[in-house]
Amino acid sequence: MKKAPKHEPDDRLTVTPPKKWAAGVPAVTHALEYSLDEATVPTTAKTLLTMNQVSGIDCPGCAWADPAPGQRHMNEYCENGAKHINDEATGRRITRDFFRAHSVSWLNEQSDLWLNQQGRLTEPMVKRPGSDYYEPISWHDALGLIADELKSLDSPDEAVFYTSGRASNESAFVLQLFARAFGTNNLPDCSNMCHETSGFALHETLGTGKGTVGLEDFYQADLVFLVGQNPATNHPRQLSALEKCKHNGGKIISVNTLPEAGLIRFKNPQEISGVIGNGTKISDVFLHIRSGGDLALFQGINRLLLEAEDAAPGTVLDHDFISAHTSGFEEFAEHARTVSWDDILTATQLTRQQIEEVRDCVLRANRVIVCWAMGVTQQRHGVPTVREIVNFLMLRGNLGRPGAGASPVRGHSNVQGDRTMGVWEQMPDDFLDALQAEFGFNPPRQHGLDSVKAIKAMAEGRIKVFLSLAGNFVRAAPDTHITDNAMRRCRLTAQISTKLSKAHTVTGETALILPCLGRTEIDTQATGGQFVTVENTSSEVHTSFGKLRPASRLLLSETAILCRLADRTLDGKVNIPWKEFEADYGNIRDRISHIIPGFFDFNRRVTRPGGIKLPNPVNEGVYATATGKAMFTRNAFDMSHAPAGTLILQSMRSHDQWNTIPYTDNDRYRGIHGRRNVILVNPDDMTELGLDRGQYVDIFGVWHDDVERRVEGFIVVPYPTTRGCAAAYYPEVQPLVPLDSVAEISNQPTSKGIVVRLEPTTAPPGAKPAHFHE
Ligand SMILES: Nc1nc2c(c(=O)[nH]1)N[C@H]1C(S)=C(S)[C@@H](COP(=O)(O)OP(=O)(O)OC[C@H]3O[C@@H](n4cnc5c(=O)[nH]c(N)nc54)[C@H](O)[C@@H]3O)O[C@H]1N2
Ligand SMILES: Nc1nc2c(c(=O)[nH]1)N[C@H]1C(S)=C(S)[C@@H](COP(=O)(O)OP(=O)(O)OC[C@H]3O[C@@H](n4cnc5c(=O)[nH]c(N)nc54)[C@H](O)[C@@H]3O)O[C@H]1N2
Ligand code: SF4
Ligand SMILES: [Mo]
């Protein structure tokens, strides 16, 4: 076994100027460096060559879509996809000796990075009440413990079943079926903290929570907006699609609080020209917007479009589309004309000229796509922002036709699929009716708890059992202190996981580690080898076949664990063939095909190259909204506020992490090396606040309650963020996000709009001063 590199949180910080382009040769080299460190060379080659290929492994990274079969490169993956796969395929193993040597409380003191570096979990473990150590337990006893605890509850609503978006369709379907047959809709998921805001706004206005565009649409678009999204790091193959869009004459407008590398220039590592040339300039217009200014921006653009129509009637708006497919236009238009320019310019910190330039680009474009991600959704007024984006698209009929539409770019590789499978605490009645018709039990109808509500219920002692299918809830959730204490109030917590994280160190009285196969691994059940299915951000459902030998012979698949647990808990009270489901996942897919629209003949269709494209009702002109049409909405002006002396902090991902799990302490494109506890501040704000570069600060959350929220020992780095807006890494600043600071309507934590105050502090003894390269 290789020795894990030791993590030194106070290693020297080195800062280089932010990069002006993304990918190219260094990206390929960096991916390989990581893979050589993390796995053996043959394993790396084997996994990478099949990644995102027909009958291969679906990349466990982001939800970006694959090109059509026949159009894929031999290396159809990005630098980060290679890292994610190698993180799972690591040769390191955590054995029972590791847990004998390290107490749970000691492990809890270690960093997220260190915990993840210890390798794959290999056998079920239990921490018993009163003990500070995990010890081995058989699968039979582990599942029996959980089943007994569940059966002893006064109400099924005392249990919570969390899902993270790496879970497959099959395991997600089984999880929600189990929870509902058990009697609860308490199914919070990572989506509550991710694109919940998009889901609410799109459901209301368009009648579907999903995006309306596919990969081909990007190639045909005349204009693509990238709003609050960092593709070079988080959806790297999107850059290839954008490059194609540009080669076909399309334009790109980026809207961001940071000038991210991939928004400037892209060198495609899959093309010779990208390796040796200067690459493609990505953004034609870059709007360096104030945090939370996107609502005002789209209100400004919409107002300008309405005025352009007034000036030249019949030339700007798509009246045919508006009258045939939408409702509420007049009310919207009346309101839109009243939004004040002073407000818009204050909220965005842009000039009117910049917004007029955008209008001109829009007027020249017949096909427009708007992409957005966490910069939009993790804001208090995220829902009205997405609604205003929909208004914008509808004004010129940019919906339901090729090269145009709405693209909430999804995060986890199967987060969209998990929702399709029914993992949502608020599934509508038609889904529940279909479950009832198929399985003959009466699913609970009352809505369950989302992530924020689940934490509150746990904190109040109303939840006794927390079961997690993938993910790292305590680090993904806000207000770490409150969330940790809430989790500790549970009687039993159980985690179905591949790797060690804080999910296993912040526990209930009894805690179980249920180690499972990852997507890279061969999954053999009683009837033979299995594959799983996933859905990407373009609503394409396809297969993923594991290729590697499992990390340990004691691992079970997610689906097997859940089927066995359900069988033991429900004692045959509900007529669901759990054993048949476990033996052959095709049996699960058969049932899915009866229940979920678009999945007919699932088993056969999904194995065809490219899989199944789910129908999007919007593209068929069908809108399942309150009015039966796509709905224009009136959205009150709103903006983020920060009192004098404070900054609006966003918590974001570095180039070297997967959500709550850092892979290294570096963030190459932003020029940060050797340390994650840094805060990026605009140089003018530094002057105003009297801060020096390289200085240590404690960061305090500013919120209207008397809880002290603080993280200590962050180094100030001057950075071209928008004035008044700072940036730091997630999950390190998680303790600063107040549990009550949520987006209106969607209840999603506002992880990009955290008001903070910085207090200078002294460097710890022996700390090496930060080194800044000019
Ligand atoms: N390598 C890697 N890939 C990932 C992930 C990962 O952790 N690592 N996570 C996956 C997941 S689950 C998700 S949801 C996606 C997330 O993908 P992104 O949404 O791209 O991720 P974030 O790092 O949260 O970055 C948000 C971007 O919004 C900008 N921003 C912040 N506030 C505002 C604002 O108010 N307005 C505007 N216009 N911009 C703003 C930030 O500067 C940043 O560029 O990535 C997925 N892909
Ligand atoms: N402050 C702040 N908070 C945020 C965000 C932010 O931008 N800022 N982003 C939010 C977003 S967008 C999201 S999606 C959530 C993410 O929240 P989660 O999805 O809960 O977190 P992850 O970090 O993706 O979970 C990683 C863990 O999943 C487990 N895992 C990995 N692969 C598998 C697998 O194949 N099977 C199983 N069973 N387990 C596996 C591993 O044990 C690993 O440690 O965080 C949210 N929280
Ligand atoms: S773009 Fe996303 S899905 Fe594609 S290889 Fe990279 S991480 Fe994986
Ligand atoms: Mo996400």
Side-chain angles (χ1 to χ4, degrees):
M1 193 177 90
K2 264 198 229 163
K3 209 165 163 275
K6 199 167 171 310
H7 172 52
E8 301 277 6
D10 277 316
D11 267 357
R12 179 180 203 148
L13 166 68
T14 306
V15 181
T16 52
K19 292 271 179 294
K20 294 200 166 50
W21 46 264
V25 170
V28 179
T29 333
H30 282 282
L32 278 177
E33 263 170 28
Y34 194 77
S35 64
L36 295 183
D37 178 46
E38 275 292 314
T40 58
V41 178
T43 314
T44 306
K46 195 165 167 183
T47 43
L48 291 181
L49 279 177
T50 82
M51 195 143 106
N52 300 327
Q53 303 295 345
V54 172
S55 304
I57 304 171
D58 177 62
C59 173
C62 77
W64 192 250
D66 303 318
Q71 292 180 21
R72 297 183 190 172
H73 283 271
M74 200 173 86
N75 297 316
E76 192 56 58
Y77 58 87
C78 72
E79 172 196 1
N80 278 345
K83 289 183 206 160
H84 306 321
I85 216 140
N86 282 288
D87 187 64
E88 179 174 304
T90 172
R92 300 196 183 105
R93 299 288 178 267
I94 296 182
T95 62
R96 55 177 68 184
D97 295 341
F98 173 90
F99 287 112
R100 201 177 298 133
H102 302 304
S103 69
V104 179
S105 44
W106 184 87
L107 289 171
N108 194 45
E109 297 299 310
Q110 308 312 304
S111 69
D112 301 294
L113 188 146
W114 188 90
L115 292 171
N116 181 61
Q117 279 178 337
Q118 303 315 304
R120 287 288 297 274
L121 296 160
T122 52
E123 64 174 317
M125 304 294 296
V126 62
K127 184 202 86 66
R128 301 199 185 267
S131 169
D132 195 19
Y133 285 86
Y134 276 105
E135 57 191 85
I137 184 172
S138 69
W139 275 111
H140 184 268
D141 291 350
L143 298 178
L145 247 178
I146 308 171
D148 288 346
E149 196 67 59
L150 285 170
K151 286 192 266 188
S152 76
L153 297 180
D154 291 335
S155 151
D157 288 331
E158 290 179 342
V160 159
F161 300 84
Y162 174 73
T163 311
S164 154
R166 198 174 276 193
S168 65
N169 283 335
E170 289 72 11
S171 60
F173 181 82
V174 166
L175 178 82
Q176 64 79 34
L177 184 61
F178 169 37
R180 293 191 164 110
F182 178 64
T184 185
N185 280 317
N186 286 347
L187 287 156
D189 64 354
C190 66
S191 221
N192 296 144
M193 301 174 268
C194 183
H195 266 295
E196 194 68 86
T197 292
S198 311
F200 270 92
L202 293 176
H203 259 294
E204 181 192 344
T205 54
L206 300 179
T208 169
K210 298 184 184 180
T212 69
V213 304
L215 205 47
E216 299 285 328
D217 291 309
F218 283 90
Y219 309 155
Q220 299 171 45
D222 299 322
L223 181 62
V224 177
F225 282 77
L226 304 172
V227 190
Q229 203 213 330
N230 182 18
T233 286
N234 296 316
H235 304 92
R237 281 189 305 156
Q238 183 178 6
L239 293 178
S240 307
L242 295 172
E243 188 184 40
K244 242 188 187 170
C245 168
K246 297 222 63 173
H247 285 174
N248 294 342
K251 298 253 180 285
I252 290 167
I253 297 181
S254 309
V255 188
N256 206 298
T257 49
L258 300 176
E260 307 280 26
L263 301 179
I264 305 173
R265 202 164 263 287
F266 171 54
K267 297 186 189 181
N268 191 339
Q270 288 159 346
E271 308 284 347
I272 298 291
S273 60
V275 174
I276 52 176
N278 283 329
T280 308
K281 177 181 171 224
I282 292 290
S283 302
D284 299 277
V285 178
F286 174 66
L287 299 178
H288 203 179
I289 199 166
R290 181 175 187 268
S291 173
D294 307 276
L295 170 62
L297 170 66
F298 280 93
Q299 288 183 315
I301 303 171
N302 289 344
R303 182 170 170 175
L304 289 174
L305 291 176
L306 289 167
E307 288 169 359
E309 171 74 14
D310 294 343
T315 63
V316 173
L317 305 186
D318 185 339
H319 292 286
D320 292 345
F321 178 84
I322 293 173
S323 59
H325 294 290
T326 72
S327 65
F329 171 73
E330 293 302 335
E331 295 85 341
F332 153 76
E334 188 190 347
H335 169 75
R337 288 191 170 88
T338 64
V339 184
S340 103
W341 276 106
D342 281 350
D343 281 348
I344 292 168
L345 301 185
T346 310
T348 56
Q349 274 172 221
L350 300 171
T351 63
R352 181 152 170 179
Q353 216 176 353
Q354 283 176 296
I355 304 176
E356 284 170 354
E357 191 188 348
V358 173
R359 173 204 55 198
D360 295 343
C361 293
V362 173
L363 290 177
R364 284 193 293 268
N366 288 322
R367 293 177 293 271
V368 181
I369 292 175
V370 182
C371 299
W372 70 90
M374 298 304 103
V376 166
T377 62
Q378 296 178 340
Q379 295 282 9
R380 182 169 47 83
H381 45 277
V383 173
T385 308
V386 176
R387 283 194 203 130
E388 200 62 30
I389 290 173
V390 173
N391 287 339
F392 163 72
L393 288 168
M394 294 195 301
L395 281 177
R396 287 173 53 83
N398 280 309
L399 266 181
R401 56 187 175 79
S407 179
V409 185
R410 303 282 162 181
H412 269 293
S413 54
N414 195 39
V415 64
Q416 187 162 317
D418 292 348
R419 276 285 164 101
T420 309
M421 292 299 120
V423 172
W424 191 30
E425 75 285 348
Q426 308 185 24
M427 280 308 276
D429 277 338
D430 51 358
F431 177 85
L432 301 175
D433 292 344
L435 273 190
Q436 185 164 9
E438 179 70 23
F439 295 107
F441 73 92
N442 196 359
R445 300 282 164 161
Q446 192 192 337
H447 289 176
L449 300 170
D450 64 15
S451 291
V452 167
K453 287 181 184 159
I455 296 165
K456 291 185 175 173
M458 285 193 271
E460 289 163 11
R462 288 190 279 126
I463 302 300
K464 306 286 187 305
V465 177
F466 181 93
L467 174 78
S468 185
L469 171 58
N472 182 8
F473 185 69
V474 287
R475 293 301 272 156
D479 244 341
T480 307
H481 185 65
I482 293 174
T483 298
D484 282 5
N485 285 336
M487 190 60 76
R488 292 195 169 105
R489 290 201 66 178
C490 293
R491 238 168 24 211
L492 181 144
T493 51
Q495 308 283 339
I496 302 175
S497 322
T498 49
K499 298 196 74 184
L500 188 65
S501 73
K502 296 266 156 112
H504 311 102
T505 65
V506 179
T507 72
E509 248 176 279
T510 300
L512 287 139
I513 297 177
L514 309 172
C516 67
L517 295 174
R519 206 179 281 169
T520 51
E521 290 163 320
I522 298 164
D523 182 350
T524 312
Q525 301 297 340
T527 62
Q530 306 294 316
F531 63 86
V532 295
T533 62
V534 292
E535 177 181 339
N536 64 32
T537 194
S538 303
S539 305
E540 290 152 349
V541 181
H542 60 89
T543 57
S544 178
F545 288 83
K547 301 288 178 198
L548 302 179
R549 217 166 42 151
S552 144
R553 60 184 178 77
L554 287 175
L555 301 183
L556 291 180
S557 75
E558 292 169 349
T559 302
I561 295 169
L562 290 166
C563 287
R564 289 183 195 185
L565 179 61
D567 207 15
R568 296 276 291 272
T569 308
L570 299 172
D571 285 332
K573 278 188 224 119
V574 184
N575 186 18
I576 300 173
W578 302 110
K579 290 192 175 67
E580 290 170 28
F581 284 178
E582 177 184 341
D584 181 351
Y585 302 170
N587 293 325
I588 304 173
R589 288 187 289 271
D590 273 342
R591 300 308 190 100
I592 292 171
S593 71
H594 302 163
I595 294 168
I596 304 176
F599 282 81
F600 65 90
D601 204 7
F602 188 11
N603 272 309
R604 192 185 60 80
R605 287 162 68 230
V606 81
T607 50
R608 293 185 311 203
I612 300 173
K613 170 92 183 162
L614 293 176
N616 187 307
V618 169
N619 294 337
E620 334 254 296
V622 175
Y623 302 93
T625 63
T627 60
K629 295 200 162 181
M631 285 166 63
F632 276 99
T633 49
R634 282 189 298 183
N635 302 299
F637 168 82
D638 202 351
M639 62 178 279
S640 307
H641 295 279
T646 66
L647 297 170
I648 305 177
L649 177 73
Q650 68 151 316
S651 54
M652 63 187 182
R653 291 152 173 80
S654 78
H655 192 62
D656 251 9
Q657 73 183 80
W658 177 258
N659 291 333
T660 64
I661 310 295
Y663 293 156
T664 71
D665 285 327
N666 305 330
D667 189 6
R668 193 172 85 249
Y669 289 156
R670 298 195 185 103
I672 309 290
H673 310 272
R675 186 186 174 94
R676 287 176 55 89
N677 285 358
V678 295
I679 178 163
L680 314 185
V681 184
N682 180 293
D684 293 335
D685 288 323
M686 287 176 55
T687 310
E688 197 172 293
L689 297 172
L691 299 168
D692 295 324
R693 82 174 185 188
Q695 165 170 10
Y696 280 75
V697 290
D698 291 347
I699 313 176
F700 289 82
V702 178
W703 186 247
H704 42 74
D705 60 15
D706 49 17
V707 177
E708 187 188 76
R709 295 184 175 82
R710 178 217 306 239
V711 293
E712 293 174 358
F714 278 58
I715 295 183
V716 175
V717 174
Y719 202 87
T721 82
T722 314
R723 266 314 289 276
C725 307
Y729 297 119
Y730 141 68
E732 280 78 357
V733 293
Q734 212 56 290
L736 300 174
V737 189
L739 190 58
D740 282 326
S741 176
V742 289
E744 48 196 65
I745 302 169
S746 67
N747 213 33
Q748 173 169 346
T750 57
S751 314
K752 296 285 185 281
I754 317 164
V755 181
V756 297
R757 176 169 64 74
L758 310 187
E759 241 175 52
T761 173
T762 47
K768 303 172 196 133
H771 186 70
F772 289 85
H773 292 272
E774 295 310 326

